[in-house]
Amino acid sequence: MKQALAKPIAMTRFLDANDVAALVRGIGVAEAIVEVAACVREDFSRWADFEKSARLASHSNVGVIELMPVSDGMHYAFKYVNGHPRNAQLALPTVMACGMLAEVATGFPLLLADLTLATALRTAATSALAAQTMARPGARTMALIGNGAQAEFQTLAFHAMLGVDTVRAFDIDASATTRLMRNLAGVAGLSIHAATSVDDALRGADIVSTVTADKTRATILRADMVRPGMHLNAVGGDCPGKTELDADILRRARIVVEYAPQSRIEGEIQQWPEAPVTELWEVLSGAARGRVDDGDVTVFDSVGFALEDYAALRWLHAAAMERHAGRYVELVARAPDPRDLYGWMMAGDVRAGAPAARAAQTGEASSIVMA
């Protein structure tokens, strides 16, 4: 049996930062996180279907630029993302991202989108998914250490998905905590308290989320700060040379990671590369337990994995299609005769009468016919 490919007539759907923001605003941030979490869970349950690899990273003394690819044989996705902690001094985000979702059968790019906001959504969604299986049942108080761009999303995710109703927030920049409290002041059933120190934030906390930005080997949490039964959501240690937890914490904890080959290079466990770990897909599928005993200290060593971005991209694509968000663009050259690329280029108004022009009106997608 061979594949006979029908000529694609669709253009690429493009979502810029404002399009994505309007889409999420219309859905509601908490609901968007819950929907993304469902996509992440679905895709992690198909773990064996995906071609996986650690991300390709280019490090410098000021930050990192990464490419994160993954494919399930039907669709291919990748994300371009940076991490530059000093960008705040330049009025730029410390993390910026964009991504693409494409058909494997044709290679045609279905979606090109800003992923800066979606990265925050999927990171928070994945954190809460892990905590659902790792935190003690009934956990309602979270310490949030680091109140930067992730803070609101982490807070809303744990509130919506675990019922966390009290957040004790601390940042060395008090204005960051003030912003967090202002932005979420209207969320029903949620109380946010400004802590004066890490120790103060930990008072009564069942869950601790560390989400700091400095690209250093820091000790945000010491081993003596961690009580039996705590769940640690370690988000900030996400590249070589950047950690947040005392290594002694890891040696007494049950550790879950997204993709072990990547986490051993970039996560908290870079401090203990031979650490015994469980991968998130095992916990979400029920093949392994995130928590065995109420006294366990559990750590979700989150560095971000391409499969989460795949889930975010397919969620974005479906949500944009349903709500007619964004616009179609001619991202790739579409000559009527693919062998005459030069002639197409020199023809003047190359869009006139081209199949792609019809797609802007119809929104039709490329198709595969089995012959």
Side-chain angles (χ1 to χ4, degrees), residues 195-286:
T196 57
S197 66
V198 172
D199 287 292
D200 186 31
L202 295 177
R203 298 183 195 280
D206 308 298
I207 298 169
V208 183
S209 288
T210 56
V211 200
T212 60
D214 285 344
K215 189 181 175 185
T216 58
R217 286 192 181 275
T219 304
I220 305 301
L221 290 183
R222 302 185 313 271
D224 64 296
M225 294 174 164
V226 178
R227 301 190 312 273
M230 273 185 169
H231 170 62
L232 310 183
N233 176 44
V235 179
D238 58 358
C239 68
K242 184 174 187 284
T243 57
E244 297 178 316
L245 306 184
D246 184 336
D248 286 341
I249 295 173
L250 303 176
R251 292 185 171 88
R252 58 182 278 211
R254 297 178 62 85
I255 305 169
V256 170
V257 301
E258 290 135 315
Y259 181 56
Q262 180 174 294
S263 297
R264 294 191 190 281
I265 298 170
E266 300 182 346
E268 293 296 330
I269 60 171
Q270 66 185 275
Q271 304 177 82
W272 183 24
E274 67 276 16
V277 301
T278 301
E279 289 185 323
L280 182 60
W281 71 270
E282 297 175 278
V283 171
L284 294 180
S285 70

Coordinates of all heavy atoms in Angstrom, one line a residue, residues 195-286:
A195 N 5.1 36.4 52.8 CA 6.0 35.9 53.8 C 7.2 36.8 53.9 O 7.6 37.4 52.9 CB 6.4 34.5 53.6
T196 N 7.9 36.9 55.0 CA 9.0 37.7 55.2 C 10.4 37.0 54.9 O 11.4 37.6 54.8 CB 9.1 38.3 56.6 OG1 9.0 37.2 57.6 CG2 7.8 39.2 56.9
S197 N 10.3 35.7 54.8 CA 11.5 34.9 54.5 C 11.1 33.5 54.0 O 9.9 33.2 54.1 CB 12.3 34.7 55.8 OG 11.6 34.0 56.8
V198 N 12.0 32.7 53.6 CA 11.7 31.3 53.2 C 11.2 30.6 54.4 O 10.1 29.9 54.3 CB 13.0 30.6 52.6 CG1 12.7 29.2 52.4 CG2 13.4 31.3 51.3
D199 N 11.8 30.7 55.6 CA 11.3 30.0 56.8 C 9.9 30.4 57.1 O 9.1 29.6 57.5 CB 12.2 30.3 58.0 CG 13.6 29.6 57.8 OD1 13.6 28.4 58.0 OD2 14.6 30.3 57.6
D200 N 9.6 31.7 57.0 CA 8.2 32.2 57.2 C 7.2 31.6 56.2 O 6.1 31.2 56.6 CB 8.2 33.7 57.2 CG 6.8 34.3 57.6 OD1 6.2 33.6 58.4 OD2 6.5 35.3 57.0
A201 N 7.6 31.5 55.0 CA 6.7 30.9 53.9 C 6.4 29.4 54.2 O 5.3 29.0 53.9 CB 7.4 31.1 52.6
L202 N 7.4 28.7 54.8 CA 7.2 27.3 55.0 C 6.3 27.0 56.2 O 5.9 25.8 56.4 CB 8.6 26.6 55.3 CG 9.6 26.7 54.1 CD1 10.9 26.0 54.6 CD2 9.0 25.9 52.9
R203 N 5.9 27.9 57.0 CA 5.1 27.7 58.2 C 3.7 27.0 57.8 O 2.9 27.7 57.1 CB 4.8 28.9 59.0 CG 6.1 29.6 59.5 CD 5.8 30.8 60.4 NE 7.0 31.6 60.6 CZ 7.9 31.4 61.5 NH1 7.8 30.3 62.3 NH2 8.9 32.2 61.6
G204 N 3.5 25.8 58.2 CA 2.3 25.1 57.9 C 2.1 24.6 56.5 O 1.0 24.2 56.1
A205 N 3.1 24.7 55.7 CA 3.0 24.4 54.2 C 3.1 22.9 54.0 O 3.9 22.2 54.6 CB 4.1 25.1 53.4
D206 N 2.1 22.3 53.3 CA 2.1 20.9 52.9 C 2.9 20.7 51.6 O 3.4 19.7 51.3 CB 0.7 20.4 52.7 CG -0.2 20.7 53.9 OD1 0.1 20.2 54.9 OD2 -1.2 21.5 53.7
I207 N 2.8 21.8 50.7 CA 3.5 21.8 49.4 C 4.4 23.0 49.3 O 4.0 24.1 49.8 CB 2.4 21.9 48.3 CG1 1.4 20.7 48.3 CG2 3.0 22.0 46.9 CD1 0.2 20.8 47.5
V208 N 5.6 22.8 48.8 CA 6.5 23.9 48.6 C 6.9 23.9 47.1 O 7.4 22.9 46.6 CB 7.8 23.7 49.4 CG1 8.7 24.9 49.3 CG2 7.4 23.4 50.9
S209 N 6.6 25.0 46.5 CA 7.0 25.3 45.1 C 8.2 26.3 45.0 O 8.0 27.4 45.5 CB 5.8 25.8 44.2 OG 4.9 24.8 44.0
T210 N 9.3 25.8 44.5 CA 10.4 26.7 44.3 C 10.5 27.1 42.8 O 10.7 26.2 42.0 CB 11.7 26.1 44.8 OG1 11.9 24.8 44.1 CG2 11.7 25.8 46.3
V211 N 10.4 28.4 42.6 CA 10.4 28.8 41.2 C 11.2 30.1 41.0 O 10.8 31.2 40.7 CB 8.9 29.1 40.7 CG1 8.8 29.1 39.2 CG2 7.9 28.1 41.3
T212 N 12.5 29.9 41.3 CA 13.4 31.1 41.2 C 14.1 31.1 39.9 O 14.2 30.1 39.2 CB 14.5 31.0 42.4 OG1 15.2 29.8 42.2 CG2 13.8 31.0 43.7
A213 N 14.7 32.3 39.6 CA 15.2 32.5 38.2 C 16.8 32.5 38.1 O 17.3 32.3 37.1 CB 14.7 33.8 37.7
D214 N 17.5 32.8 39.2 CA 18.9 33.0 39.1 C 19.6 31.7 38.6 O 19.3 30.7 39.1 CB 19.5 33.4 40.5 CG 19.2 34.9 40.8 OD1 18.8 35.6 39.9 OD2 19.3 35.3 41.9
K215 N 20.5 31.9 37.7 CA 21.2 30.8 37.1 C 22.4 30.4 37.9 O 23.6 30.6 37.5 CB 21.6 31.1 35.6 CG 22.1 29.9 34.8 CD 22.5 30.3 33.4 CE 23.2 29.2 32.7 NZ 23.7 29.6 31.4
T216 N 22.2 29.9 39.1 CA 23.2 29.6 40.1 C 22.9 28.3 40.8 O 21.7 27.9 40.9 CB 23.5 30.7 41.1 OG1 22.3 30.9 41.8 CG2 23.9 32.0 40.4
R217 N 23.9 27.7 41.4 CA 23.6 26.6 42.3 C 23.3 27.2 43.7 O 24.1 27.6 44.5 CB 24.9 25.7 42.5 CG 25.1 24.8 41.3 CD 26.2 23.8 41.6 NE 26.4 22.9 40.4 CZ 25.8 21.8 40.1 NH1 24.7 21.5 40.9 NH2 26.1 21.1 39.1
A218 N 22.0 27.4 43.9 CA 21.5 28.0 45.1 C 20.9 26.9 46.1 O 20.6 25.8 45.7 CB 20.4 29.0 44.8
T219 N 20.8 27.3 47.3 CA 20.2 26.5 48.3 C 19.0 27.2 48.8 O 19.0 27.9 49.9 CB 21.1 26.1 49.4 OG1 22.3 25.5 48.9 CG2 20.5 25.1 50.4
I220 N 17.9 27.1 48.1 CA 16.7 27.8 48.5 C 16.1 27.1 49.7 O 15.5 27.7 50.6 CB 15.7 27.8 47.3 CG1 16.3 28.5 46.1 CG2 14.4 28.5 47.7 CD1 16.8 29.9 46.3
L221 N 16.2 25.7 49.7 CA 15.7 24.9 50.8 C 16.8 24.1 51.3 O 17.5 23.4 50.6 CB 14.6 24.0 50.3 CG 13.2 24.6 49.9 CD1 12.2 23.5 49.6 CD2 12.7 25.4 51.0
R222 N 17.0 24.2 52.6 CA 18.0 23.3 53.3 C 17.3 22.1 53.8 O 16.0 22.1 54.0 CB 18.6 24.0 54.5 CG 19.3 25.3 54.2 CD 20.0 25.9 55.5 NE 19.2 25.9 56.6 CZ 18.3 26.9 56.9 NH1 18.3 28.0 56.2 NH2 17.6 26.8 58.0
A223 N 18.0 21.0 54.1 CA 17.4 19.8 54.5 C 16.7 19.9 55.8 O 15.6 19.3 56.0 CB 18.5 18.7 54.6
D224 N 17.2 20.8 56.7 CA 16.5 20.9 58.0 C 15.2 21.7 57.9 O 14.4 21.7 58.9 CB 17.5 21.6 59.0 CG 17.8 23.0 58.6 OD1 18.4 23.2 57.5 OD2 17.5 24.0 59.3
M225 N 14.9 22.3 56.8 CA 13.7 23.0 56.6 C 12.5 22.1 56.2 O 11.3 22.5 56.3 CB 13.8 24.1 55.5 CG 14.8 25.2 55.8 SD 14.9 26.3 54.3 CE 15.7 27.7 55.0
V226 N 12.9 20.9 55.7 CA 11.9 20.0 55.1 C 11.3 19.0 56.2 O 12.0 18.3 56.8 CB 12.5 19.3 53.9 CG1 11.5 18.3 53.3 CG2 13.0 20.2 52.9
R227 N 10.0 19.1 56.4 CA 9.3 18.2 57.3 C 8.9 16.9 56.6 O 8.6 16.9 55.4 CB 8.1 18.9 57.9 CG 8.4 20.2 58.7 CD 7.2 20.7 59.4 NE 6.0 20.7 58.6 CZ 5.6 21.7 57.9 NH1 6.4 22.8 57.8 NH2 4.5 21.6 57.2
P228 N 8.7 15.8 57.4 CA 8.1 14.6 56.8 C 6.8 14.9 56.2 O 6.0 15.7 56.8 CB 8.1 13.7 58.0 CG 9.1 14.1 58.9 CD 9.2 15.6 58.8
G229 N 6.5 14.3 55.1 CA 5.2 14.5 54.4 C 5.1 15.6 53.4 O 4.1 15.7 52.7
M230 N 6.1 16.5 53.4 CA 6.1 17.6 52.4 C 6.2 17.1 51.0 O 6.9 16.1 50.7 CB 7.2 18.6 52.7 CG 6.9 19.7 53.8 SD 8.3 20.8 53.9 CE 7.6 22.1 54.9
H231 N 5.6 17.8 50.1 CA 5.8 17.6 48.7 C 6.5 18.9 48.1 O 6.0 20.0 48.3 CB 4.5 17.4 47.9 CG 4.7 17.4 46.4 ND1 5.5 16.5 45.8 CD2 4.2 18.3 45.5 CE1 5.5 16.8 44.5 NE2 4.7 17.8 44.3
L232 N 7.7 18.7 47.5 CA 8.4 19.8 46.9 C 8.3 19.8 45.4 O 8.6 18.8 44.7 CB 9.9 19.6 47.3 CG 10.2 19.4 48.8 CD1 11.7 19.3 49.0 CD2 9.6 20.4 49.6
N233 N 7.8 20.9 44.9 CA 7.6 21.1 43.5 C 8.8 22.0 43.0 O 8.7 23.2 43.1 CB 6.3 21.7 43.2 CG 6.0 22.1 41.7 OD1 6.3 21.3 40.9 ND2 5.5 23.3 41.5
A234 N 9.9 21.4 42.6 CA 11.1 22.1 42.3 C 11.2 22.4 40.8 O 11.5 21.6 39.9 CB 12.3 21.2 42.7
V235 N 10.8 23.7 40.5 CA 10.7 24.1 39.1 C 11.9 24.9 38.6 O 12.2 24.9 37.4 CB 9.4 25.0 39.0 CG1 9.2 25.5 37.5 CG2 8.2 24.2 39.4
G236 N 12.5 25.6 39.5 CA 13.5 26.6 39.0 C 14.9 26.0 38.5 O 15.5 26.5 37.7
G237 N 15.2 24.8 39.1 CA 16.5 24.1 38.6 C 16.3 23.5 37.3 O 15.9 22.3 37.2
D238 N 16.5 24.2 36.2 CA 16.2 23.7 34.9 C 17.3 23.8 33.8 O 17.0 23.7 32.6 CB 14.9 24.4 34.4 CG 15.1 25.9 34.3 OD1 16.2 26.4 34.6 OD2 14.2 26.6 33.8
C239 N 18.5 23.9 34.3 CA 19.6 23.9 33.3 C 20.9 23.5 34.1 O 20.9 23.6 35.3 CB 19.8 25.2 32.6 SG 20.3 26.6 33.7
P240 N 21.9 23.1 33.4 CA 23.2 22.7 34.1 C 23.7 23.9 34.9 O 23.7 25.0 34.5 CB 24.1 22.4 32.9 CG 23.2 21.9 31.8 CD 22.0 22.8 32.0
G241 N 24.1 23.6 36.1 CA 24.6 24.6 37.0 C 23.6 25.4 37.8 O 23.9 26.4 38.4
K242 N 22.3 25.1 37.7 CA 21.2 25.8 38.3 C 20.4 24.9 39.1 O 19.7 24.0 38.6 CB 20.4 26.5 37.2 CG 19.3 27.4 37.8 CD 18.6 28.1 36.6 CE 17.6 29.2 37.1 NZ 16.3 28.6 37.6
T243 N 20.4 25.0 40.5 CA 19.7 24.1 41.4 C 19.1 25.0 42.5 O 19.5 26.1 42.7 CB 20.6 23.0 41.9 OG1 21.7 23.6 42.6 CG2 21.0 22.1 40.8
E244 N 18.1 24.4 43.2 CA 17.5 25.1 44.3 C 17.5 24.4 45.6 O 17.3 25.0 46.7 CB 16.0 25.4 43.9 CG 15.8 26.3 42.7 CD 14.4 26.5 42.4 OE1 13.6 25.5 42.4 OE2 14.0 27.7 42.1
L245 N 17.7 23.1 45.6 CA 17.5 22.2 46.8 C 18.8 21.7 47.3 O 19.7 21.4 46.5 CB 16.6 21.0 46.4 CG 15.2 21.3 45.8 CD1 14.5 19.9 45.7 CD2 14.5 22.3 46.6
D246 N 19.0 21.7 48.6 CA 20.1 21.0 49.2 C 20.1 19.5 48.8 O 19.1 18.9 48.8 CB 19.9 21.1 50.7 CG 21.0 20.5 51.5 OD1 21.8 19.7 51.0 OD2 21.1 20.9 52.7
A247 N 21.3 19.1 48.3 CA 21.4 17.7 47.8 C 20.9 16.7 48.9 O 20.4 15.6 48.5 CB 22.8 17.4 47.3
D248 N 21.1 17.0 50.2 CA 20.7 16.1 51.2 C 19.2 15.8 51.2 O 18.7 14.8 51.7 CB 21.1 16.6 52.6 CG 22.6 16.4 52.8 OD1 23.2 15.6 52.0 OD2 23.2 17.1 53.7
I249 N 18.4 16.8 50.7 CA 16.9 16.6 50.6 C 16.6 15.5 49.6 O 15.8 14.6 49.9 CB 16.3 17.9 50.1 CG1 16.4 19.0 51.2 CG2 14.8 17.6 49.8 CD1 15.9 20.3 50.7
L250 N 17.4 15.4 48.5 CA 17.1 14.4 47.5 C 17.4 13.0 48.0 O 16.7 12.1 47.7 CB 18.0 14.7 46.3 CG 17.9 16.1 45.6 CD1 18.9 16.2 44.5 CD2 16.5 16.3 45.1
R251 N 18.4 12.9 48.9 CA 18.8 11.6 49.4 C 17.7 11.0 50.3 O 17.8 9.8 50.6 CB 20.1 11.6 50.0 CG 21.2 11.9 49.0 CD 22.6 11.9 49.6 NE 23.6 11.9 48.5 CZ 24.1 13.1 48.0 NH1 23.7 14.2 48.5 NH2 25.0 13.1 47.0
R252 N 16.8 11.8 50.8 CA 15.8 11.3 51.7 C 14.4 11.3 51.0 O 13.4 11.0 51.7 CB 15.7 12.0 53.0 CG 15.5 13.5 52.8 CD 15.5 14.3 54.1 NE 14.3 14.2 54.9 CZ 13.8 15.2 55.6 NH1 14.5 16.3 55.8 NH2 12.7 15.1 56.3
A253 N 14.3 11.6 49.7 CA 13.1 11.9 49.1 C 12.7 10.8 48.0 O 13.6 10.1 47.5 CB 13.1 13.2 48.4
R254 N 11.5 10.7 47.7 CA 11.0 10.0 46.5 C 11.0 11.0 45.4 O 10.3 12.0 45.5 CB 9.6 9.4 46.8 CG 9.5 8.3 47.9 CD 8.1 7.8 48.1 NE 7.6 7.2 46.9 CZ 7.8 5.9 46.6 NH1 8.6 5.1 47.4 NH2 7.3 5.3 45.5
I255 N 11.7 10.7 44.3 CA 11.9 11.7 43.3 C 11.2 11.3 42.0 O 11.4 10.1 41.5 CB 13.4 11.9 43.0 CG1 14.1 12.3 44.3 CG2 13.6 13.0 41.9 CD1 15.7 12.2 44.1
V256 N 10.4 12.2 41.4 CA 9.8 12.0 40.1 C 10.3 13.0 39.1 O 10.4 14.2 39.5 CB 8.2 12.0 40.2 CG1 7.6 12.1 38.8 CG2 7.7 10.9 41.0
V257 N 10.7 12.6 37.9 CA 11.2 13.5 36.9 C 10.3 13.3 35.6 O 9.6 12.3 35.5 CB 12.7 13.2 36.6 CG1 13.5 13.4 37.8 CG2 12.9 11.8 36.0
E258 N 10.5 14.2 34.7 CA 9.8 14.0 33.4 C 10.4 13.0 32.5 O 9.8 12.1 32.0 CB 9.6 15.4 32.7 CG 8.7 16.4 33.5 CD 9.3 17.7 33.6 OE1 10.5 17.9 34.0 OE2 8.5 18.7 33.4
Y259 N 11.7 13.3 32.2 CA 12.5 12.4 31.3 C 13.9 12.3 31.8 O 14.7 13.2 31.8 CB 12.5 13.0 29.9 CG 13.2 12.3 28.8 CD1 12.9 11.0 28.5 CD2 14.2 12.9 28.1 CE1 13.5 10.3 27.5 CE2 14.8 12.2 27.1 CZ 14.5 10.9 26.8 OH 15.2 10.2 25.8
A260 N 14.2 11.1 32.4 CA 15.4 11.0 33.2 C 16.7 11.4 32.5 O 17.5 12.1 33.1 CB 15.5 9.5 33.7
P261 N 16.9 11.0 31.2 CA 18.1 11.4 30.5 C 18.4 12.9 30.5 O 19.5 13.4 30.6 CB 18.0 10.9 29.1 CG 17.1 9.7 29.3 CD 16.1 10.1 30.3
Q262 N 17.3 13.7 30.4 CA 17.4 15.2 30.4 C 17.5 15.7 31.9 O 18.4 16.6 32.1 CB 16.1 15.8 29.8 CG 16.1 17.3 29.7 CD 15.0 17.8 29.0 OE1 14.9 17.7 27.7 NE2 14.0 18.5 29.6
S263 N 16.8 15.1 32.8 CA 16.8 15.6 34.2 C 18.1 15.4 34.9 O 18.5 16.2 35.7 CB 15.7 15.0 35.0 OG 14.4 15.3 34.5
R264 N 18.8 14.3 34.5 CA 20.1 14.1 35.1 C 21.2 15.1 34.7 O 22.2 15.3 35.4 CB 20.6 12.7 34.8 CG 19.7 11.6 35.4 CD 20.3 10.2 35.3 NE 19.3 9.2 35.6 CZ 19.0 8.8 36.9 NH1 19.6 9.4 37.9 NH2 18.1 7.9 37.1
I265 N 20.9 15.8 33.6 CA 21.8 16.9 33.2 C 21.4 18.2 33.7 O 22.2 19.1 34.1 CB 21.9 16.9 31.6 CG1 22.4 15.6 31.1 CG2 22.7 18.1 31.1 CD1 22.2 15.4 29.6
E266 N 20.1 18.4 33.8 CA 19.6 19.8 34.0 C 18.9 20.0 35.4 O 18.7 21.1 35.8 CB 18.6 20.2 32.9 CG 19.2 20.2 31.5 CD 18.3 20.6 30.4 OE1 17.0 20.6 30.7 OE2 18.7 20.9 29.3
G267 N 18.4 18.9 35.9 CA 17.5 19.1 37.1 C 18.2 19.1 38.4 O 19.4 19.2 38.5
E268 N 17.4 19.0 39.5 CA 18.0 19.0 40.8 C 19.0 17.8 40.9 O 20.0 17.8 41.6 CB 17.0 18.9 41.9 CG 16.1 20.2 42.0 CD 16.9 21.4 42.5 OE1 17.9 21.2 43.2 OE2 16.5 22.5 42.1
I269 N 18.6 16.7 40.2 CA 19.4 15.5 40.4 C 20.7 15.5 39.6 O 21.5 14.6 39.7 CB 18.6 14.2 40.0 CG1 18.2 14.3 38.5 CG2 17.4 14.0 40.9 CD1 17.6 13.0 38.0
Q270 N 21.1 16.7 39.0 CA 22.4 16.8 38.5 C 23.4 16.8 39.7 O 24.6 16.5 39.5 CB 22.6 18.1 37.7 CG 22.4 19.4 38.5 CD 22.4 20.6 37.6 OE1 23.5 21.2 37.3 NE2 21.3 21.1 37.2
Q271 N 22.9 17.1 40.9 CA 23.8 17.0 42.1 C 24.0 15.6 42.5 O 24.9 15.3 43.3 CB 23.1 17.8 43.2 CG 22.7 19.2 42.9 CD 22.0 19.9 44.1 OE1 22.6 20.3 45.1 NE2 20.7 19.9 44.0
W272 N 23.2 14.7 42.0 CA 23.2 13.3 42.4 C 22.8 12.5 41.1 O 21.7 11.9 41.1 CB 22.3 13.0 43.6 CG 22.4 11.6 44.1 CD1 23.4 10.7 44.0 CD2 21.3 11.0 44.8 NE1 23.0 9.5 44.6 CE2 21.8 9.7 45.2 CE3 20.0 11.4 45.3 CZ2 21.0 8.8 45.9 CZ3 19.3 10.5 46.0 CH2 19.7 9.2 46.3
P273 N 23.7 12.4 40.1 CA 23.3 11.8 38.8 C 22.8 10.4 38.9 O 22.0 10.0 38.0 CB 24.6 12.0 38.0 CG 25.3 13.1 38.6 CD 25.0 13.0 40.1
E274 N 23.2 9.6 39.9 CA 22.8 8.2 40.0 C 21.6 8.1 40.8 O 21.1 6.9 41.1 CB 23.9 7.4 40.5 CG 24.3 7.6 42.0 CD 25.3 8.8 42.2 OE1 25.4 9.6 41.2 OE2 25.8 8.9 43.3
A275 N 20.9 9.2 41.1 CA 19.7 9.1 42.0 C 18.6 8.2 41.4 O 18.4 8.2 40.2 CB 19.1 10.5 42.2
P276 N 18.0 7.3 42.2 CA 16.9 6.5 41.8 C 15.7 7.4 41.6 O 15.3 8.2 42.5 CB 16.7 5.5 42.9 CG 17.2 6.2 44.1 CD 18.4 7.1 43.7
V277 N 15.1 7.3 40.4 CA 14.0 8.2 40.1 C 12.9 7.4 39.4 O 13.1 6.3 38.8 CB 14.4 9.4 39.1 CG1 15.5 10.2 39.8 CG2 14.8 8.9 37.8
T278 N 11.7 8.0 39.4 CA 10.5 7.5 38.7 C 10.1 8.5 37.7 O 10.2 9.7 38.0 CB 9.3 7.2 39.6 OG1 9.7 6.3 40.6 CG2 8.1 6.7 38.9
E279 N 9.8 8.1 36.5 CA 9.4 9.1 35.5 C 7.9 9.4 35.6 O 7.1 8.6 36.0 CB 9.7 8.6 34.1 CG 11.2 8.7 33.8 CD 11.6 8.3 32.4 OE1 10.9 7.4 31.8 OE2 12.6 8.9 31.9
L280 N 7.5 10.6 35.3 CA 6.2 11.1 35.5 C 5.1 10.2 34.8 O 4.0 10.0 35.3 CB 6.0 12.6 35.0 CG 4.7 13.2 35.2 CD1 4.3 13.3 36.6 CD2 4.7 14.7 34.6
W281 N 5.4 9.7 33.6 CA 4.4 8.9 32.9 C 4.1 7.7 33.7 O 2.9 7.2 33.7 CB 4.9 8.5 31.5 CG 6.0 7.5 31.5 CD1 7.4 7.7 31.5 CD2 5.9 6.1 31.5 NE1 8.1 6.5 31.5 CE2 7.2 5.5 31.5 CE3 4.8 5.2 31.4 CZ2 7.4 4.1 31.5 CZ3 5.0 3.8 31.4 CH2 6.3 3.3 31.4
E282 N 5.0 7.2 34.4 CA 4.8 6.0 35.3 C 3.8 6.3 36.4 O 2.9 5.5 36.7 CB 6.1 5.4 35.8 CG 7.1 5.0 34.8 CD 8.4 4.6 35.4 OE1 9.2 5.5 35.7 OE2 8.6 3.4 35.7
V283 N 4.0 7.5 37.0 CA 3.1 7.9 38.1 C 1.7 8.2 37.6 O 0.7 7.8 38.2 CB 3.7 9.1 38.8 CG1 2.7 9.7 39.8 CG2 5.0 8.7 39.5
L284 N 1.6 8.9 36.5 CA 0.3 9.3 35.9 C -0.5 8.0 35.4 O -1.7 8.0 35.5 CB 0.5 10.3 34.8 CG 1.0 11.7 35.2 CD1 1.1 12.6 34.0 CD2 0.1 12.3 36.3
S285 N 0.2 7.0 34.9 CA -0.4 5.8 34.4 C -0.8 4.8 35.5 O -1.5 3.9 35.3 CB 0.5 5.1 33.4 OG 1.6 4.5 34.1
G286 N -0.3 5.1 36.7 CA -0.5 4.1 37.8 C 0.5 3.0 37.9 O 0.4 2.1 38.8

